[in-house]
């Protein structure tokens, strides 16, 4: 199992590195670049599904901190694979409850999954677009409580968060 976990850690971090290199193409004006991004995230999502089926959620205890974060990133970007996102959300929720994963990443994944389901997000982590030069979040369930809910899971206030995108 130790060898498997080490190999899995390398695989996950390699997938995240490829994700980082090509993420700039997600919203490219070039359809071929967009397609390449979608294919990459779909391959990664498929593989994450296999990993979850075999190991459950790849926690830091199993694969190390960097690879666990990589697994989260892969789930986060599996936007066209709601089944994968929902499964990751479920397994990550169990890991957070067991103290084996962080509530901050779970909050981002919950919001991303809700938005992909066409529902309102909770923490205001997903940006719909920019209006008058300011990032605008996808609709939130309780917009007046967003900063309170964010603080509870270790996410900076919304205004500080969006200042990074400006």
């Amino acid at each position: 199992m130790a060898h498997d976990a080490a190999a899995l850690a390398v695989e996950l971090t390699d997938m995240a590195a490829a994700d980082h290199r090509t993420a700039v193409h997600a919203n490219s004006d070039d359809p071929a670049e967009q397609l390449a991004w979608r294919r990459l995230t779909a391959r990664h999502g498929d593989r994450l599904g296999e990993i979850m089926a075999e190991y459950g959620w790849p926690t830091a205890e199993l694969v190390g901190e960097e690879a666990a974060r990589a697994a989260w990133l892969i789930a986060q970007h599996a936007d066209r694979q709601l089944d994968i996102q929902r499964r990751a959300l479920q397994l990550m929720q169990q890991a957070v409850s067991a103290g084996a994963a962080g509530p901050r990443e779970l909050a981002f994944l919950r919001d991303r999954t809700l938005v992909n389901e066409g529902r309102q997000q909770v923490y205001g982590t997903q940006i719909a677009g920019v209006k008058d030069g300011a990032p605008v979040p996808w609709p939130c369930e309780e917009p007046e409580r967003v900063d309170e809910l964010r603080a509870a899971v270790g996410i900076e206030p919304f205004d500080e968060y969006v200042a990074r995108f400006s």
Side-chain angles (χ1 to χ4, degrees):
M1 185 70 170
H3 172 72
D4 285 357
L8 187 57
V10 169
E11 182 180 6
L12 287 165
T13 53
D14 285 352
M15 288 178 4
D19 185 291
H20 283 300
R21 280 194 308 275
T22 57
V24 294
H25 301 309
N27 300 309
S28 172
D29 292 334
D30 180 347
E33 287 181 349
Q34 276 190 33
L35 183 60
W37 163 254
R38 285 199 298 271
R39 284 183 175 149
L40 178 88
T41 56
R43 267 197 322 277
H44 289 175
D46 288 346
R47 180 62 186 127
L48 182 62
E50 294 168 2
I51 291 166
M52 290 186 299
E54 187 172 345
Y55 298 93
W57 184 251
T59 61
E61 184 181 349
L62 178 66
V63 295
E65 203 66 51
E66 185 184 2
R69 183 155 176 81
W72 165 80
L73 178 75
I74 293 159
Q76 190 78 352
H77 288 169
D79 291 319
R80 288 163 194 81
Q81 296 162 292
L82 262 174
D83 56 326
I84 300 291
Q85 277 189 335
R86 288 179 181 128
R87 183 73 181 131
L89 187 63
Q90 177 188 22
L91 291 174
M92 199 174 181
Q93 175 68 60
Q94 292 167 0
V96 168
S97 296
R104 184 179 195 278
E105 284 76 21
L106 179 65
F108 275 84
L109 185 56
R110 174 169 288 134
D111 274 0
R112 186 80 165 231
T113 305
L114 287 167
V115 166
N116 286 333
E117 291 174 338
R119 296 163 58 196
Q120 293 183 333
Q121 62 179 330
V122 176
Y123 302 96
T125 64
Q126 302 303 299
I127 304 300
V130 177
K131 185 176 181 187
D132 301 325
V136 178
W138 284 96
C140 296
E141 290 175 2
E142 300 178 90
E144 69 288 347
R145 290 189 60 222
V146 160
D147 282 340
E148 172 192 338
L149 295 167
R150 291 168 74 92
V153 294
I155 303 174
E156 67 269 55
F158 184 77
D159 290 342
E160 284 177 33
Y161 176 68
V162 296
R164 295 192 316 214
F165 296 99
S166 303

